[in-house]
């Protein structure tokens, strides 16, 4: 056990013992494990993203993902009447790879739009922010906290790729006809153990009303366990408050509520990623592994409506990227005239990367949710290449 892991365990144990009931919610545990300012996974250099790391994302497969997103942002700029500036806010920018791909493409192909951009990164992790600043030092962009962005000020698009899945979640369980919450406490050997109790907040029950899930009516089995991402709703409220006119684009793995809370998914979706393997025990490798849960897109849609965010479309990443022209890129690879071994290997590798982005059993099955706020009817019904046009 390394020192950072021990320090984090002690910090979590201290939080537990200082609580009047000697326990903390799983959401509090997950928040400390991932975001403790000194020892958390995302706050240190423990985070390892990439093909040889704990996990990888679409931008790690090449520049195509960012370039296709850039083309979509350019079209959004046109729909909004080419505002200057166009606020492009990336939330949770990882290592900065996606931002670099977007900005390089726009500089080369849409310089007028590039010149109109106010590219903002909102990043919670100080370690990742430092890596982003080093990688993106030659680009015109800035880093902000949400508190620094005035209300009702953004005109453009806020977007995230694989961000919400890392938000701390509450865990709940159906016991003896009641919805209980899972808490973390200390066992006899000072190890972390789980106990159940009354919900820490009424918002947990209200959440299931919001997404239309009735545990009693649908006869959920004893011990059915799942997650609730209340922080995602708070996040959505905050973003809606900042947008004056524009879009919110969310890309992540997840399901609509009826699939997320299906009877067959009796142990929820929580997963841990450590050195490119995954398991479901969050009490191993604390501070040295990622902990995630799938996104309930119905929750984002329903809560968004209450925050004046209109749902424009929900699709899968594979369909979204194909509509933006990824199929043409695959076809162009097939027409390659590569002859020597190294060039052929590069062509095959790129083709495999593009297919991974649209594989419905992997990245291609990710959800892509588009919401908007402050758009006029004629702007809402203008086609966006990656999405279906809403009907009047």
């Amino acid at each position: 056990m390394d020192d950072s892991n021990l320090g984090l365990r002690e910090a979590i144990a201290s939080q537990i013992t200082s609580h009047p009931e000697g326990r903390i919610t799983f959401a509090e545990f997950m928040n400390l494990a991932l975001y403790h300012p000194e020892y958390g996974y995302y706050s240190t250099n423990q985070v390892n993203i990439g093909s040889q790391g704990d996990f990888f994302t679409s931008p790690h497969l090449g520049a195509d993902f960012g370039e296709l997103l850039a083309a979509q942002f350019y079209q959004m700029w046109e729909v909004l009447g080419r505002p200057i500036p166009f606020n492009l806010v990336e939330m949770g920018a990882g290592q900065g790879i996606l931002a670099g791909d977007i900005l390089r493409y726009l500089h080369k192909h849409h310089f007028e739009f590039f010149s109109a951009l106010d590219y903002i990164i909102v990043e919670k992790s100080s370690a990742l922010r430092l890596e982003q600043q080093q990688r993106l030092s030659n680009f015109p962009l800035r880093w902000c906290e949400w508190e620094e962005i005035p209300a009702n000020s953004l005109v453009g698009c806020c977007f995230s790729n694989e961000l919400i899945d890392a938000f701390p979640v509450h865990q709940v369980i159906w016991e003896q006809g009641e919805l209980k919450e899972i808490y973390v406490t200390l066992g006899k050997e000072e190890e972390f153990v789980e106990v159940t109790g009354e919900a820490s907040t009424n918002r947990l029950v209200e959440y299931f009303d919001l997404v239309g899930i009735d545990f009693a009516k649908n006869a959920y089995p004893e011990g059915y366990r799942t997650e609730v991402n209340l922080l995602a709703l708070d996040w959505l409220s905050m973003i809606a408050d900042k947008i004056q006119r524009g879009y919110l684009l969310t890309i992540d793995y997840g399901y609509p509520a009826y699939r997320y809370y299906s009877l067959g998914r009796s142990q929820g979706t929580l997963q841990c990623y450590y050195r490119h393997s995954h398991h479901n025990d969050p009490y191993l490798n604390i501070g040295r592994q990622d902990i995630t849960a799938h996104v309930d897109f119905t929750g984002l849609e329903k809560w968004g409506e209450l925050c004046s965010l209109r749902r424009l479309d929900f699709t899968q990443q594979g369909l979204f990227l194909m509509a933006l022209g990824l199929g043409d890129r695959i076809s162009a690879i097939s027409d390659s005239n590569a002859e020597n071994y190294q060039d052929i290997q590069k062509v095959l590798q790129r083709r495999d990367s593009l297919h991974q982005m649209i594989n419905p059993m992997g990245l291609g099955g990710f959800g892509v949710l588009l919401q908007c706020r402050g758009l006029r009817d004629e702007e809402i019904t203008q086609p966006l290449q990656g999405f279906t046009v809403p009907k009047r």
Side-chain angles (χ1 to χ4, degrees), residues 39 139 297 320 350 366:
Y39 303 117
F139 291 106
F297 282 99
F320 173 66
R350 181 157 184 259
F366 280 22

Side-chain angles (χ1 to χ4, degrees), residues 217-251:
K217 181 179 178 181
N218 292 315
Y220 279 78
E222 179 74 10
Y224 182 93
R225 175 173 174 150
T226 190
E227 310 90 23
V228 176
N229 194 335
L230 294 180
L231 190 58
L233 306 189
D234 298 336
W235 173 82
L236 207 59
S237 297
M238 179 175 58
I239 295 170
D241 181 61
K242 306 296 184 181
I243 296 176
Q244 178 191 124
R245 194 165 69 92
Y247 301 93
L248 172 61
L249 178 65
T250 305
I251 305 173

Side-chain angles (χ1 to χ4, degrees), residues 216-323:
K217 181 179 178 181
N218 292 315
Y220 279 78
E222 179 74 10
Y224 182 93
R225 175 173 174 150
T226 190
E227 310 90 23
V228 176
N229 194 335
L230 294 180
L231 190 58
L233 306 189
D234 298 336
W235 173 82
L236 207 59
S237 297
M238 179 175 58
I239 295 170
D241 181 61
K242 306 296 184 181
I243 296 176
Q244 178 191 124
R245 194 165 69 92
Y247 301 93
L248 172 61
L249 178 65
T250 305
I251 305 173
D252 221 317
Y253 46 90
Y255 313 105
Y258 76 91
R259 289 185 58 197
Y260 195 114
Y261 301 110
S262 66
L263 291 171
R265 190 168 283 110
S266 61
Q267 295 303 302
T269 70
L270 195 83
Q271 286 286 302
C272 306
Y273 293 87
Y274 179 64
R275 295 180 180 174
H276 242 331
S277 64
H278 62 89
H279 58 89
N280 60 3
D281 188 346
Y283 308 109
L284 294 175
N285 310 310
I286 298 175
R288 292 182 286 129
Q289 67 178 6
D290 194 18
I291 308 174
T292 76
H294 282 52
V295 175
D296 172 14
F297 282 99
T298 303
L300 297 184
E301 291 180 17
K302 296 293 187 183
W303 190 256
E305 291 170 5
L306 299 176
C307 300
S308 300
L309 286 168
R310 175 172 174 172
R311 175 197 186 275
L312 292 180
D313 197 14
F314 176 69
T315 187
Q316 290 186 323
Q317 177 173 302
L319 299 174
F320 173 66
L321 295 178
M322 289 297 285

